[in-house]
């Protein structure tokens, strides 16, 4: 969370003061903010993880991701929910908002389609510094 106070004034007028609180911002260890990404097809903004300090889940306790079955089920539900975007899905990754490593699941609301280059060049590097 961040709080701010702004004061602005012009010659010949009284200063105007604004105070407020901004919504929480998620940043990694190098203070890079979690990217805000909007899916132009569904018009949905990629959700933020609920908090930043999830403990790692032991490997044997994590949800498993089957890249064929789970990916296919997600794509089908995406199309059923938002319509067919006519994407070449082979160039998209399915991003876990809360990674499996931190207790994320394979449910529809924890998944978000991203172009592979965006996922690998923006989200993965952000997560590597988390």
């Amino acid at each position: 969370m961040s709080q701010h106070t702004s004061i602005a004034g012009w010659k010949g007028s009284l200063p105007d003061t604004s105070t407020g609180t901004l919504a929480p911002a998620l940043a990694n260890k190098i203070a890079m903010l979690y990217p805000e990404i909007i899916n132009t097809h569904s018009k949905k903004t990629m959700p933020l993880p609920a908090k930043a300090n999830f403990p790692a889940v032991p490997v044997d306790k994590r949800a498993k991701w089957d890249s064929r079955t789970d990916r296919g089920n997600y794509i089908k539900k995406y199309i059923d929910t938002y319509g067919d975007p006519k994407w070449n899905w082979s160039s998209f990754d399915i991003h876990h908002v809360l990674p499996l490593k931190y207790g994320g699941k394979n449910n529809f609301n924890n998944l978000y389609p991203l172009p592979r280059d965006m996922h690998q060049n923006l989200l993965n590097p952000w997560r590597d510094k988390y």
Side-chain angles (χ1 to χ4, degrees):
M1 300 283 276
S2 75
Q3 294 189 353
H4 69 279
T5 300
S6 303
I7 301 173
W10 289 263
K11 187 175 181 178
S13 67
L14 296 173
D16 185 25
T17 303
S18 169
T19 302
T21 301
L22 297 176
L26 184 61
N28 61 16
K29 291 176 189 168
I30 61 170
M32 182 190 307
L33 293 177
Y34 192 78
E36 182 177 327
I37 298 171
I38 299 173
N39 177 327
T40 57
H41 176 258
S42 69
K43 309 295 186 231
K44 299 292 181 186
T45 300
M46 183 175 67
L48 291 169
K51 59 183 185 176
N53 58 345
F54 289 99
V57 173
V59 174
D60 63 324
K61 304 261 192 246
R62 294 178 191 169
K64 306 296 183 230
W65 174 258
D66 181 310
S67 60
R68 296 185 83 186
T69 305
D70 293 324
R71 179 182 170 81
N73 289 341
Y74 174 79
I75 292 169
K76 181 181 182 321
K77 182 156 183 168
Y78 180 94
I79 291 169
D80 289 347
T81 303
Y82 301 114
D84 190 349
K86 307 291 187 207
W87 291 336
N88 174 4
W89 283 94
S90 66
S91 64
F92 278 74
D93 286 345
I94 308 303
H95 171 68
H96 284 80
V97 175
L98 179 60
L100 301 174
K101 176 179 180 177
Y102 298 109
K105 306 292 183 208
N106 297 322
N107 59 324
F108 188 74
N109 292 330
N110 190 47
L111 301 173
Y112 194 86
L114 289 172
R116 182 159 293 123
D117 62 332
M118 182 181 290
H119 191 235
Q120 293 178 1
N121 297 320
L122 182 63
L123 268 293
N124 287 349
W126 185 92
R127 182 66 62 192
D128 289 344
K129 301 291 186 198
Y130 176 72

